Amino acid sequence: MAAAALLSAVLPTASPARAAAGSGPPVPARYAHQQLNWQPCAAKPSLECARMTVPRDWHHPGTGADLTVAVSRHRAADPARRRGVLMMAAGGPGASGLTRPAGFAARSPAVGAAYDVVSFDQRGVGSSTPVRCQTEAEFQDFYAHDFRDRSPAALRGVLDRSRQLVAGCLRRSGDLLPWLTTEQAVRDMDLFRALLGVRKISYYGPSYATWLGAYYATEFPQRVERAVLDSNVNFSGTWQDVEGGQPRSFQRRFEQDFLPWIARYDATYHYGRTAAEAKARWEARRRALRDHPLTVGSLTIGPNQLDSATIQNMYDAAPQFPQLASALSALDHWPSATPAERTLVRNVFGSYLSPGFAAAFFSVTCNDTPWRRDLGHWIRRSAEDTATHPLAGARALAYAATCALWPVSDAPRVRVTGKGLPTTLMLNSVHDPATYYEGAVAAHRALRGSRLVTVTGGGDHGQYQNGNACVDRIVNAYLLDGDAPDRDVACAAVPLPGPQGRG
């Protein structure tokens, strides 16, 4: 009852017309007075899980059926030194955060001893009320064919599949789609905070969760004690701008980090002794898969699957560069590939996203901020991206067209300023492919009072708990003792892995 009493006193909502925190009526009692029934998590018994009821639309909580948000908790390992709640979230948007506190606390035991580490599946995701857009077959077809094909028939096919995706979302989840926004999700977060019975939280969020955290901090600055934003999406701009910069950054990571790396280990992978030779070999493999796709069980590996696997393996060099290189090498001698190599190829080329992830990803990115609706513009823009930055640029039309065809959203705009916040810690590597450094710098400028830790000489996505002692030391000192750098600082990246990964 103490949590419920606290909630009714401190949890306001904002009207759609205003972004300022603290405006609007109090939370209705049916949400404010609910109790979280903590039980061992089915997927991770070391954690506690519960289900939280939230309104479909926080601005009109009496309209439409309620939603469920699945939440989790890892209790502080040292109750005598417990200093509060650390809320964390997952990236994407579309990834599950429910079981993440267990790994987070294990990798940073001092932080796990001092905080109750809590997380959740965002509305639309996983164990929360899910959004549904495509069947598995429809999802596979969306990524089939060849995104580099610029023939009129191929372009019509891309646009048709984007139309079908949007139509599938409306048919299967139309009454849910408008409310899958970051602005709605941060109000779910603040209800969770209040039901935990605390006035303030600390926060850790990587990738898209930096956008989520920045929005939360803007709407509820008085609820934030400390915040770490790791690998930053440019939350001061639009999703249209964010995704527009990714073709260049993924190409940069591929050409300046991965290709020189695989060439360095030509004796192991036999993929060329220079980056140029390795790139030529990769392009030759792509042409071969375009002309003769490879069937591995139920998996078909064509040119888009090569692109997707390469994109997915640009995020974290230590485990991913060796596994991608080994899979590429196996394709070169496929008739004689060992059972272990064939299993690796199935795993590397068959694990790109999922229908559920894609449904949540498009819902949030298409709803949060405006998109240009002119398909002709996106056809022209994607032609440039395909020519200059083809790794991710070739798929740009499929992504942009989906949001251009999405129902117009009236989600409130949130302008991130940093007003009223304590010092916020931001982390980013210079060659991050997904949350590129240029966007992180722009977000840092918008979030005044923040400190940016730049990881130089590297390109991993996710810096904390990634084996970089310099980064971990700064973050731990901040979370445990409140010691923030008095200016922006730099940490050198950890060395790239050898053929067998880090160590």
Side-chain angles (χ1 to χ4, degrees):
M1 294 301 293
L6 177 64
L7 174 63
S8 63
V10 301
L11 184 64
T13 59
S15 67
R18 298 180 60 188
S23 60
V27 172
R30 68 178 180 275
Y31 309 113
H33 294 169
Q34 66 183 298
Q35 300 292 320
L36 296 178
N37 181 23
W38 294 106
Q39 301 291 333
C41 297
K44 187 73 67 172
S46 62
L47 296 178
E48 297 175 305
C49 281
R51 299 172 72 80
M52 182 175 72
T53 300
V54 302
R56 184 166 298 244
D57 177 9
W58 273 104
H59 305 300
H60 303 91
T63 303
D66 290 339
L67 307 181
T68 296
V69 172
V71 298
S72 63
R73 175 172 64 181
H74 181 282
R75 289 185 179 273
D78 186 353
R81 294 194 297 122
R82 180 184 180 276
R83 66 168 327 278
V85 168
L86 175 69
M87 187 177 292
M88 60 182 301
S96 170
L98 194 63
T99 62
R100 294 193 178 205
F104 182 90
R107 288 188 293 270
S108 297
V111 176
Y115 285 95
D116 288 346
V117 182
V118 305
S119 191
F120 54 93
D121 277 352
Q122 189 167 326
R123 54 171 58 204
V125 174
S127 297
S128 297
T129 302
V131 58
R132 293 184 174 90
C133 291
Q134 297 169 299
T135 65
E136 179 66 32
E138 289 168 338
F139 171 78
Q140 294 298 335
D141 190 54
F142 186 83
Y143 287 99
H145 318 285
D146 182 0
F147 282 144
R148 285 198 197 178
D149 187 345
R150 304 296 301 180
S151 68
L155 293 176
R156 284 196 300 272
V158 171
L159 297 181
D160 285 346
R161 285 184 288 277
S162 289
R163 287 191 184 93
Q164 291 163 9
L165 191 160
V166 175
C169 292
L170 291 170
R171 184 170 62 254
R172 297 181 175 102
S173 302
D175 61 341
L176 177 60
L177 293 186
W179 322 120
L180 299 181
T181 70
T182 302
E183 193 270 343
Q184 293 278 347
V186 300
R187 302 181 186 282
D188 299 341
M189 291 166 60
D190 205 53
L191 176 62
F192 185 24
R193 171 205 61 77
L195 293 177
L196 289 168
V198 295
R199 294 189 64 86
K200 290 188 175 186
I201 59 167
S202 293
Y203 180 83
Y204 171 79
S207 195
Y208 160 69
T210 62
W211 186 297
L212 190 68
Y215 271 34
Y216 180 84
T218 298
E219 297 283 17
F220 303 102
Q222 74 278 24
R223 309 295 179 221
V224 178
E225 184 174 12
R226 295 165 192 172
V228 180
L229 307 181
D230 187 350
S231 301
N232 291 263
V233 181
N234 182 12
F235 42 73
S236 68
T238 67
W239 281 110
Q240 177 177 296
D241 295 334
V242 168
E243 292 187 26
Q246 287 184 330
R248 180 178 66 173
S249 56
F250 272 103
Q251 199 74 30
R252 176 171 62 194
R253 174 69 157 165
F254 178 57
E255 294 188 356
Q256 297 184 24
D257 291 350
F258 175 73
L259 291 176
W261 178 88
I262 195 174
R264 188 180 313 144
Y265 298 105
D266 180 60
T268 300
Y269 302 113
H270 312 294
Y271 221 72
R273 290 174 293 179
T274 66
E277 289 178 357
K279 183 178 181 181
R281 195 176 192 91
W282 188 93
E283 290 288 349
R285 173 55 56 197
R286 194 183 191 282
R287 289 192 296 273
L289 290 172
R290 179 196 63 199
D291 297 336
H292 304 286
L294 179 65
T295 300
V296 185
S298 61
L299 173 66
T300 298
I301 304 175
N304 285 352
Q305 285 67 46
L306 179 64
D307 292 349
S308 294
T310 302
I311 287 168
Q312 183 164 278
N313 282 275
M314 292 298 100
Y315 284 75
D316 190 352
Q320 292 181 334
F321 281 15
Q323 76 175 10
L324 175 62
S326 296
L328 292 172
S329 179
L331 291 180
D332 277 355
H333 60 267
W334 187 248
S336 62
T338 67
E341 287 176 319
R342 289 172 180 263
T343 297
L344 175 66
V345 165
R346 283 195 297 270
N347 291 339
V348 168
F349 290 93
S351 61
Y352 188 68
L353 306 184
S354 68
F357 183 100
F361 175 87
F362 284 115
S363 295
V364 173
T365 57
C366 297
N367 276 332
D368 267 1
T369 55
W371 282 79
R372 187 167 179 170
R373 301 276 159 176
D374 177 6
L375 291 177
H377 165 79
W378 293 117
I379 290 173
R380 293 187 295 273
R381 171 69 183 269
S382 67
E384 298 171 4
D385 286 336
T386 300
T388 57
H389 311 299
L391 179 61
R395 71 178 189 181
L397 177 60
Y399 280 54
T402 299
C403 286
L405 294 163
W406 198 264
V408 175
S409 170
D410 61 357
R413 292 299 303 273
V414 178
R415 181 170 174 264
V416 175
T417 65
K419 182 180 179 181
L421 287 175
T423 300
T424 300
L425 201 58
M426 301 176 69
L427 321 171
N428 229 92
S429 67
V430 292
H431 276 189
D432 190 312
T435 57
Y436 43 90
Y437 188 66
E438 297 85 347
V441 171
H444 171 44
R445 291 196 191 104
L447 192 61
R448 62 174 178 258
S450 60
R451 301 288 185 268
L452 178 61
V453 180
T454 297
V455 177
T456 60
D460 279 2
H461 179 73
Q463 298 307 310
Y464 184 51
Q465 301 182 334
N466 194 37
N468 190 314
C470 174
V471 171
D472 288 355
R473 183 172 58 251
I474 293 170
V475 174
N476 289 341
Y478 173 74
L479 288 176
L480 295 172
D481 302 313
D483 294 337
D486 59 6
R487 60 179 65 86
D488 294 347
V489 297
C491 288
V494 297
L496 286 172
Q500 302 305 315
R502 184 171 293 154

